[in-house]
Amino acid sequence: MTLSEEATERLADVVELQPTKNSELQERWDMESGSEVHQYLENELGDYYFRDDNSLIRATAEANDLVDVEPGIESDPEDEGVPSRIRVPELHAQIVAVLAGPDDESESVVSVLHSLRDEFDVDPDSEDVRSGLQSLRRKGVVEVEYRTVPTFRLAVERDELEVSVAD
């Protein structure tokens, strides 16, 4: 199956963002709805993606070979699936830099937002921080603890995780 230039670029997005969900691809691809994303995936990329046990979108091994982009996560085979390397947008990398470590008390979205403002002199929207934390959670590097509000901390020691910023 030969892919169009657009389909190849979108497949590269799937490889880079995996594990991902319709809403992330909807935003990246500037589509109107998650249904439109699902339809595109089925019609154009059906042979190159699958949904895992949590219904997250992942690229097939063949898809990884077809595009010239590094996967969003890489795991050390000896570490029970915890990623050793992630490739994420700049805000997500900043979140990793300020988020509580695995042995620290977990933090709320608002706490992480304040840390980002203090450390990087940025002012992201709280929903962008929440979305970034959830994306990092899907990648397996952040864990959530439910108290009065959901709180977050790294699932892996910061020095055991290589973070690079995706373009």
Side-chain angles (χ1 to χ4, degrees):
M1 179 170 153
T2 303
L3 295 176
S4 68
E5 184 177 335
E6 176 187 61
T8 302
E9 289 173 7
R10 289 184 172 178
L11 183 59
D13 290 338
V14 172
V15 171
E16 179 182 329
L17 294 172
Q18 70 179 317
T20 190
K21 57 185 187 171
N22 286 6
S23 62
E24 283 184 323
L25 294 173
Q26 177 185 341
E27 185 177 316
R28 176 72 69 100
W29 297 345
D30 196 29
M31 290 186 165
E32 295 296 317
S33 68
S35 299
E36 189 178 354
V37 171
H38 176 75
Q39 186 175 12
Y40 187 89
L41 287 169
E42 284 296 305
N43 294 338
E44 301 296 326
L45 303 177
D47 293 341
Y48 302 106
Y49 88 98
F50 65 96
R51 291 193 183 262
D52 66 15
D53 294 341
N54 296 316
S55 294
L56 296 174
I57 300 164
R58 294 182 181 266
T60 63
E62 185 179 357
N64 291 333
D65 294 341
L66 274 177
V67 295
D68 188 25
V69 61
E70 293 182 41
I73 60 172
E74 293 179 27
S75 297
D76 183 342
E78 297 175 17
D79 264 345
E80 298 180 17
V82 175
S84 56
R85 185 168 189 245
I86 59 173
R87 200 163 171 264
V88 293
E90 184 174 17
L91 177 61
H92 298 191
Q94 291 171 336
I95 290 170
V96 169
V98 300
L99 188 61
D103 297 327
D104 299 325
E105 186 174 348
S106 56
E107 301 179 80
S108 69
V109 171
V110 172
S111 173
V112 174
L113 176 60
H114 288 293
S115 296
L116 288 167
R117 287 175 177 161
D118 293 344
E119 182 70 25
F120 296 104
D121 195 30
V122 294
D123 191 22
D125 184 73
S126 63
E127 189 53 41
D128 291 340
V129 174
R130 178 180 284 103
S131 176
L133 286 162
Q134 292 295 350
S135 178
L136 291 164
R137 179 176 159 238
R138 287 191 301 277
K139 287 179 177 15
V141 298
V142 167
E143 60 188 19
V144 65
E145 179 180 326
Y146 293 96
R147 298 193 302 223
T148 305
V149 295
T151 57
F152 303 84
R153 72 174 147 248
L154 291 174
V156 61
E157 292 292 339
R158 205 174 320 274
D159 61 355
E160 293 177 13
L161 179 64
E162 181 183 331
V163 180
S164 61
V165 175
D167 298 330

